[in-house]
Amino acid sequence: MQRPRLFAALVGLLATAVVGPMFATAALAADPSVTVKPGDTLTSISKRHHVSIATLVDLNELPNPNRIYAGQRLRVTSKAAKAAPAATSKPEAAHTHVVKRGQNLTVIARRYDVTVSAIVRANEISNESRIYAGQRLAIPGASLPAAPKATKAPEPAASATHKVARGENLTTIARAYSISVSALVKANGITDPSRIYAGQRLAIPGKSAAPKPGSTD
């Protein structure tokens, strides 16, 4: 009579040994989390569990990603993520953006001419309002800000030509065209401003109109 009871007890122990770990594994899979070890950082945890730093920050609502402590329990995935169907491969990002202080997803999306939802999908962000300075975001199909076009140097304005009349000097000619004597000297390569002669033709820089009344051409 004792043998059947002993057999039943053995079966019960075996079931506990087999089914118990299965329940534990199922419970862990439902809401997996890890315990922070001394020396751990979000970077090391993200690499070890193949989850992005942004996801860790969002799942655990960390106010400061740089401050975690030994013994702290961190969720590494969400129930929704486990229940969701396998996602299609995400497009390769054309650019990586480092978040600056005060930026949000709307500002970043506008800068690269993409949608906020595209950035959210590419970076597996669960809370659009929780991004932080220094975070690196993949920008899918980014349209990089166009480099400014090289401006063409403006061509010098056409110069008028003045024929020096008898008795004229650089001062009177410059006054007639409302320019400086030095501009006349430079435009005509004059080495001695006191030596100009009647009939000489002088280029008048930046002027295409006739001189003021009273000058001779």
Side-chain angles (χ1 to χ4, degrees):
M1 295 295 291
Q2 291 182 353
R3 188 172 296 177
R5 292 180 181 178
L6 180 60
F7 180 74
L10 288 174
V11 171
L13 288 173
L14 181 61
T16 302
V18 173
V19 177
M22 292 177 61
F23 277 115
T25 302
L28 181 61
D31 188 16
S33 60
V34 297
T35 301
V36 178
K37 300 176 182 178
D40 271 349
T41 63
L42 282 189
T43 301
S44 63
I45 294 171
S46 71
K47 289 180 180 178
R48 192 158 63 238
H49 296 278
H50 307 290
V51 60
S52 69
I53 293 176
T55 300
L56 287 174
V57 171
D58 292 335
L59 287 175
N60 297 281
E61 299 183 354
L62 299 176
N64 186 344
N66 297 318
R67 294 183 65 87
I68 61 174
Y69 53 88
Q72 181 178 3
R73 292 194 67 79
L74 296 178
R75 295 171 62 190
V76 294
T77 188
S78 64
K79 295 179 182 179
K82 283 289 181 181
T88 57
S89 57
K90 57 185 177 183
E92 294 184 3
H95 187 72
T96 299
H97 176 83
V98 180
V99 179
K100 297 179 181 178
R101 188 178 299 277
Q103 286 188 325
N104 55 39
L105 288 183
T106 302
V107 171
I108 296 169
R110 187 180 300 121
R111 176 179 178 184
Y112 293 99
D113 195 24
V114 298
T115 63
V116 171
S117 58
I119 298 178
V120 168
R121 286 195 303 270
N123 296 276
E124 300 177 355
I125 296 172
S126 58
N127 188 340
E128 297 179 14
S129 63
R130 293 185 69 84
I131 63 173
Y132 54 90
Q135 182 178 357
R136 299 178 72 84
L137 296 178
I139 310 297
S143 176
L144 298 181
K149 295 182 180 179
T151 54
K152 201 174 179 182
E155 297 181 0
S159 299
T161 301
H162 177 82
K163 183 177 180 182
V164 179
R166 189 178 299 277
E168 284 188 321
N169 56 42
L170 291 183
T171 302
T172 58
I173 297 170
R175 188 180 299 121
Y177 290 93
S178 300
I179 60 174
S180 65
V181 172
S182 61
L184 273 177
V185 169
K186 185 176 180 181
N188 294 277
I190 298 172
T191 55
D192 186 353
S194 64
R195 295 182 65 84
I196 62 172
Y197 54 88
Q200 182 179 356
R201 290 190 171 273
L202 298 177
I204 310 299
K207 297 292 179 180
S208 58
K212 293 179 180 179
S215 64
T216 307
D217 187 14

